[in-house]
Amino acid sequence: MNQYIEYSEEVKAALENKKPVVAIETGGTFAGIPYPENVETARKVMAEVRANGAVPAYVSIMAGKIKVGMSDSELEDYGKRRGTMAKASRREIPLILAKGEYGVMTLAATMVVADIVGISVVSGGGFGGVHRGAEVSMDISSDLEEIAMRNVIVVCSGAKSILDLNLTMEYLETKSVPVMGYKTSEMPAYMAIESGIKLPCQMDSASEVAKAYSIKNDLGITTGMILMNPISREYAVDAALMNSVIDEAIECSIRDNVKGKAITGYLMKYLKEKMGADSMDAQKNMIIENAVLAANLASELM
């Protein structure tokens, strides 16, 4: 066992007994949703994962330890710390651990930990990618690098809509990452269903995805895989409205000279404030729906 990693009793028992486990990103739930709704959402996510035959493992940093799985009291404490915790991608993990602090894990960091501890399925909200204007800023999410290196399947609702979705797909193709749509041939755009971008492969069942993952491993292909799961239409936001708000947000970020690591948080906050309750409902339900599919997939891999 790694000295820097602690497991909940539930997750430890599941890993020891080779039962299906889903690693869940804390960023979408605990950074993106205010308290106490973040804790309520996390409890729903965990209940749905269990109901679908797998064990939920929210991945976080708590008091200088990587935590894989949380107790209910830890969820409550962690949720209350929203806004005070550092955002952790791969490069920040050792720094936060060394200082004994708390951290919210990005999708990239969750992939790192899942790969280390032997969890094959990671669940998140939206994937990070190539930012608009990246030809000048070189702003490219580390999510793309990690999925190229980690032997995991990431279940998400496409890439975050604030990104350049076409360039993100080009980057994934360059890295030879298999990208699949779940019951869709069109790339979902986070809270919206439509992006207008065709996906290279549609999968119509969790068993098909599990078979593709097993074949990839049997052939020694070392990249991870992405399964894009569109949000249910009843919770989806209007794509045209969302893109209009994103254009406004980008103009404001230029005016406010927001750059680098701060840009994602700035744009997402602007998007949620302008789109109101609809965007928050979309985010909550997206996280839950992706966790359910991830649980079914993890069960198929056993």
Side-chain angles (χ1 to χ4, degrees), residues 270-287:
Y270 190 100
L271 183 63
K272 289 171 185 175
E273 286 177 351
K274 288 292 183 178
M275 300 197 72
D278 287 348
S279 68
M280 190 57 64
D281 287 344
Q283 184 170 5
K284 291 176 184 177
N285 285 283
M286 177 200 317
I287 291 168

Side-chain angles (χ1 to χ4, degrees), residues 23 25 27-28 53 71-72 85 88 94 97 113 119 121 140 161 192-193 216 223 244 259 269 280 283 289:
E25 170 203 19
S71 67
D72 195 67
M85 299 182 286
L97 294 180
V113 175
I119 298 175
V121 182
I140 300 173
S161 44
I193 294 173
K216 177 190 78 71
T223 68
S244 174
K259 297 178 181 178
K269 182 180 178 182
M280 190 57 64
Q283 184 170 5
E289 290 173 1

Side-chain angles (χ1 to χ4, degrees), residues 224-264:
M225 305 177 82
I226 302 176
L227 181 61
M228 296 189 176
N229 182 36
I231 186 171
S232 294
R233 192 163 293 278
E234 64 180 299
Y235 298 115
V237 302
D238 180 78
L241 174 61
M242 182 182 69
N243 287 326
S244 174
V245 174
I246 290 169
D247 289 342
E248 288 179 17
I250 291 171
E251 289 181 9
C252 290
S253 71
I254 295 170
R255 179 200 66 199
D256 294 341
N257 198 31
V258 181
K259 297 178 181 178
K261 189 178 177 181
I263 190 70
T264 299

Side-chain angles (χ1 to χ4, degrees), residues 128-161:
V130 181
H131 277 264
R132 303 182 191 195
E135 65 274 12
V136 176
S137 68
M138 294 298 292
D139 193 350
I140 300 173
S141 170
S142 58
D143 289 358
L144 296 177
E145 286 297 310
E146 293 304 330
I147 194 62
M149 297 187 293
R150 304 292 171 182
N151 188 27
V152 296
I153 308 173
V154 173
V155 180
C156 62
S157 294
K160 291 184 173 73
S161 44

